[in-house]
Amino acid sequence: MGLFGTGKSRVCAVAAAGTAREMAMQVRAGLRETPTVELRLDWLRSDAERRRFLAWVKRQKFGRRVVRMATCRRVPGGGRFKSGIKQEMYWLGQARKAGCEWCDLEVETLRELPGKTASGYGLPSRVLLSVHDFKGTASAREMNVADHGGITAMKIAARANAIADSVRLLGLARRSTNFVAVPMGEIGLPARILALREGSALAYAPVGESTAPGQVSLREMMHLYRAHELTRRTRVFGVIGDPVGHSLSPLLHNTGFISRDVDAVYLPFLVHGLKDFLDAVERLGIRGFSVTLPHKETILKYLKDCDPLAAAIGAVNTVVVRGDGSLYGLNTDYVGVLRALQAKMRLRGSRVLVFGAGGAARSAAFALARAGAQVVICARREQGGKKLARGVGGEFLGRRALRSEKFEVIINATPMGMYPHSKISPLSARELNCRIVMDLIYRPLDTELLKIARKKGISTVSGVEMFLAQGFAQWELWTGKKAPQAAMRRTVLQSLRAEEEPRRKSHGSRA
């Protein structure tokens, strides 16, 4: 058993608020998920609030399993406490009197203490010495300070400027006992979730507002990613892109894993350079990954084999990592387009307009051509549009012709209308001369284009249908099981609707 026990107890809920009342509420909420909680005294807005909060802590009957760690991090160490070392040590001493067994002491403070020791100051009996590196330069040499007196364990929280930085920090956790590894920043987020399985004594997650870059909420840490349940046997999947923070793929796939009781986790990887990510695939135990912009075409040169249709499309959105470490690429975007439309109509012989000539348009055009549709391409980039039309045996139309031409289906395969530019439509009402309009955008769920189409009495298909269908296909490729589609669909739609609710209320209040 480690310093903080096993299972849920290794996830530390971070309570950080401006008032004693808010902090107490966060502590209660955190303890419903884990028995380990960090009390960020430096976030409290005054000494009076710190005094009130610690008085509340002292009155509580938490029980023997609850671990309370007090932190009063000063500004030089990345915290909010503006007073000096003497005051910091005073409040950590008060935390001990309130019942806290642990405190977090930043290395900047230790280095200024006489004798560079934490002993003799009346601190909690166990001290976690922390190094916070917001530039990403910390290394194993920083651990030497743990040799000083009064230190129980060591923490390095370092910004990951590349995935390789995360891998190095997790390596310290594997080689060291009584060590906490905290990769920071969006690039470090996947490694933050994997830290416990790599040997880190703790993983942090905020109950309320984020206290460090790259954090996921306590609820996500416990229930979406299940960080406390991951082991070396857990299969790792993910999505790579730049940007990637907006992706709903982690919600989609992890819901599937949970529903089917599959020992796997799906993580969002912010990837600036493909080689940086691919070098970490074996080390992190990655078994497959989704590919989104801007890597769908570039990934092709790193694949050992590729599905013929994906090769023809010239873009891959799904990769399987084989047992020998080689990469096999596929494209399930086309499956998403077909399934979404075939539920509404017969595609063979239908005349379908694809608006756009990028990666999404290519997937849609090849899918439709394969299903026997007459494909028409219209794109702002005429050269690219004509090339795509030739590639699928279709026809190219100039924009002016759309007002007089008729189609069974019009598909928007451009990013126009995507949040936060959701008031824009790529096509006008006069250009929608068709029976069905499909928008590949799913954020917002109800785009301006779809609204215009419905006003004309045209049937609509949301991009979420394509997103779900391609995701189901990926999930089944990786697991060999039937996807729990109802559960995955329900969770994604709930998230999208909840996301749009504040915007609807805001528009309503201005009306």
Side-chain angles (χ1 to χ4, degrees):
M1 183 178 293
L3 280 174
F4 299 93
T6 59
K8 291 182 178 182
S9 64
R10 294 173 65 209
V11 177
C12 184
V14 181
T19 68
R21 183 174 179 274
E22 291 172 307
M23 279 273 280
M25 290 172 63
Q26 288 190 6
V27 170
R28 290 192 185 102
L31 292 178
R32 286 195 286 270
E33 301 287 355
T34 171
T36 306
V37 61
E38 181 185 35
L39 313 176
R40 289 296 300 267
L41 302 180
D42 56 307
W43 273 59
L44 290 163
R45 63 190 181 199
S46 67
D47 285 349
E49 292 293 345
R50 277 181 272 276
R51 196 168 289 110
R52 287 191 198 99
F53 175 66
L54 289 177
W56 175 84
V57 171
K58 190 172 184 178
R59 291 195 303 270
Q60 305 310 301
K61 297 179 180 178
F62 288 113
R64 294 171 60 184
R65 287 185 64 247
V66 173
V67 176
R68 288 147 290 178
M69 180 180 296
T71 300
C72 193
R73 187 163 295 123
R74 292 183 299 126
V75 172
R80 294 191 173 188
F81 192 61
K82 295 180 181 179
S83 299
I85 290 177
K86 183 177 179 181
Q87 290 78 12
E88 176 189 2
M89 302 300 275
Y90 169 79
W91 285 112
L92 292 178
Q94 292 301 300
R96 177 187 62 79
K97 292 177 181 178
C100 293
E101 312 91 335
W102 279 86
C103 73
D104 182 310
L105 190 69
E106 64 270 20
V107 70
E108 290 83 0
T109 294
L110 183 73
R111 285 170 176 162
E112 293 183 41
L113 292 176
K116 293 183 173 56
T117 177
S119 301
Y121 290 93
L123 302 181
S125 58
R126 295 187 168 192
V127 177
L128 177 66
L129 184 67
S130 62
V131 174
H132 283 78
D133 173 22
F134 296 99
K135 294 183 179 179
T137 57
S139 65
R141 63 182 171 77
E142 300 285 3
M143 297 179 63
N144 295 333
V145 292
D147 296 334
H148 295 281
I151 303 303
T152 311
M154 179 76 186
K155 176 179 80 178
I156 293 183
R159 179 179 179 83
N161 296 312
I163 294 170
D165 297 335
S166 295
V167 170
R168 281 193 292 272
L169 188 53
L170 293 184
L172 293 178
R174 294 191 77 180
R175 297 194 301 270
S176 308
T177 57
N178 301 345
F179 182 77
V180 177
V182 185
M184 293 193 296
E186 190 180 353
I187 291 176
L189 189 152
R192 178 185 283 266
I193 293 165
L194 295 175
L196 293 181
R197 81 164 193 166
E198 298 296 317
S200 179
L202 279 182
Y204 291 84
V207 178
E209 184 181 344
S210 175
T211 59
Q215 284 184 335
V216 296
S217 70
L218 180 62
R219 180 163 185 79
E220 288 178 319
M221 183 74 85
M222 303 296 291
H223 299 287
L224 179 63
Y225 296 111
R226 298 152 291 131
H228 58 292
E229 296 178 1
L230 307 183
T231 70
R232 298 298 300 171
R233 294 186 299 276
T234 301
R235 288 178 287 172
V236 178
F237 300 95
V239 55
I240 66 170
D242 184 9
V244 77
H246 67 286
S247 176
L248 285 179
S249 292
L251 180 63
L252 178 75
H253 288 281
N254 285 318
T255 296
F257 296 146
I258 294 165
S259 297
R260 287 281 187 263
D261 196 25
V262 176
D263 186 13
V265 66
Y266 185 102
L267 306 169
F269 289 89
L270 175 59
V271 174
H272 297 317
L274 274 173
K275 192 172 187 307
D276 177 43
F277 169 76
L278 295 174
D279 286 346
V281 165
E282 181 180 1
R283 173 64 183 77
L284 296 179
I286 297 169
R287 304 287 290 276
F289 51 95
S290 312
V291 186
T292 188
L293 296 175
H295 305 304
K296 287 188 175 186
E297 296 174 10
T298 314
I299 191 69
L300 284 162
K301 67 181 180 181
Y302 295 97
L303 304 177
K304 184 175 182 180
D305 292 300
C306 187
D307 174 76
L309 182 58
I313 293 171
V316 160
N317 82 319
T318 308
V319 173
V320 175
V321 181
R322 291 169 164 170
D324 63 357
S326 64
L327 307 180
Y328 179 73
L330 308 98
N331 191 309
T332 65
D333 282 338
Y334 86 92
V335 175
V337 173
L338 291 182
R339 289 185 183 175
L341 286 176
Q342 285 170 339
K344 290 259 189 181
M345 61 175 289
R346 175 184 170 84
L347 283 171
R348 183 166 295 280
S350 298
R351 192 170 188 234
V352 182
L353 173 73
V354 176
F355 188 68
R362 290 183 64 81
S363 297
F366 273 88
L368 294 163
R370 193 178 197 189
Q374 300 172 27
V375 180
V376 181
I377 305 296
C378 179
R380 181 177 56 83
R381 294 182 294 111
E382 185 174 321
Q383 186 176 354
K386 288 181 175 179
K387 181 179 179 182
L388 176 56
R390 288 194 300 270
V392 297
E395 121 185 58
F396 179 82
L397 273 184
R399 178 76 180 259
R400 290 183 180 180
L402 296 187
R403 294 186 180 185
S404 56
E405 294 281 341
K406 290 183 170 56
F407 308 93
E408 285 294 305
V409 184
I410 292 178
I411 300 174
N412 173 41
T414 76
M416 286 186 68
M418 185 184 296
Y419 182 80
H421 306 294
S422 52
K423 288 297 181 182
I424 300 172
S425 173
L427 295 168
S428 68
R430 295 175 66 185
E431 294 171 314
L432 300 181
N433 302 303
C434 59
R435 190 163 65 86
I436 298 172
V437 169
M438 181 178 184
D439 198 336
L440 300 190
I441 292 169
Y442 65 89
R443 252 191 182 124
L445 195 57
D446 194 21
T447 63
E448 191 68 17
L449 174 65
L450 297 183
K451 291 175 183 177
I452 292 170
R454 281 198 302 276
K455 285 180 182 177
K456 288 191 67 173
I458 300 171
S459 180
T460 61
V461 180
S462 168
V464 76
E465 296 302 326
M466 175 187 171
F467 170 73
L468 289 169
Q470 64 81 31
F472 297 155
Q474 287 180 329
W475 198 92
E476 292 172 357
L477 276 168
W478 290 327
T479 65
K481 298 175 181 287
K482 178 68 176 173
Q485 294 188 14
M488 294 166 79
R489 173 185 292 275
R490 183 171 57 250
T491 303
V492 167
L493 290 177
Q494 284 174 348
S495 176
L496 285 170
R497 286 166 183 155
E499 184 180 273
E500 292 187 1
E501 186 62 29
R503 291 200 288 272
R504 281 197 294 270
K505 288 182 178 178
S506 174
H507 294 325
S509 66
R510 291 198 297 266

